[in-house]
Amino acid sequence: QVQLVESGGGLVQAGGSLRLSCAASGGTFSSYAMGWFRQAPGKERDFVAVISWTGRSTYYADSVKGRFTISRDNAKNTVYLQMYSLKPEDTAAYYCAASERGTYYSAALFDYWGQGTQVTVSS
């Protein structure tokens, strides 16, 4: 069983930056693909980014491509989401997730989830 704890959310002005972290425990972190998803009030949970277990492959939603970077440190059991040029439409709760099945975009294929961290971007 893997436990995931996100941190790093907060309030930032449009154009600003934040770095989210997700610390994992209780499993073999290096064997999981790791993803970030986000959910705004009244909306579905959307894919943001995913990174393979080796870190060699990354994929992004079109809405964040070029602005967000996902990375991982397997020695620290941590995955990161560096967010630049934030926009008000990036406002959401951001969730970290782990998949035992591979590097996918679908939330249904992720097995473990964190509790989320709120990101609010003011205009």
Side-chain angles (χ1 to χ4, degrees):
Q1 188 77 11
V2 176
Q3 291 81 44
L4 303 172
V5 179
E6 302 96 335
S7 61
L11 174 64
V12 63
Q13 288 188 333
S17 302
L18 280 176
R19 188 177 82 154
L20 306 183
S21 299
C22 173
S25 61
T28 306
F29 180 75
S30 59
S31 67
Y32 298 109
M34 299 297 298
W36 286 96
F37 293 78
R38 66 187 182 185
Q39 188 169 19
K43 296 189 176 181
E44 294 186 350
R45 190 168 295 190
D46 290 332
F47 167 76
V48 175
V50 64
I51 186 167
S52 63
W53 64 275
T54 62
R56 295 192 189 114
S57 297
T58 57
Y59 303 96
Y60 298 91
D62 287 343
S63 59
V64 307
K65 204 172 292 183
R67 299 189 298 121
F68 290 11
T69 301
I70 188 171
S71 61
R72 67 189 295 160
D73 186 338
N74 286 347
K76 295 183 178 180
N77 289 355
T78 302
V79 63
Y80 305 97
L81 186 68
Q82 178 67 58
M83 305 185 292
Y84 296 104
S85 301
L86 283 161
K87 305 175 181 180
E89 51 262 45
D90 294 318
T91 295
Y94 282 70
Y95 296 89
C96 168
S99 175
E100 298 176 311
R101 311 175 215 202
T103 308
Y104 295 107
Y105 305 159
S106 171
L109 296 176
F110 282 76
D111 304 285
Y112 305 101
W113 291 84
Q115 82 289 348
T117 187
Q118 180 67 35
V119 172
T120 302
V121 185
S122 63
S123 57

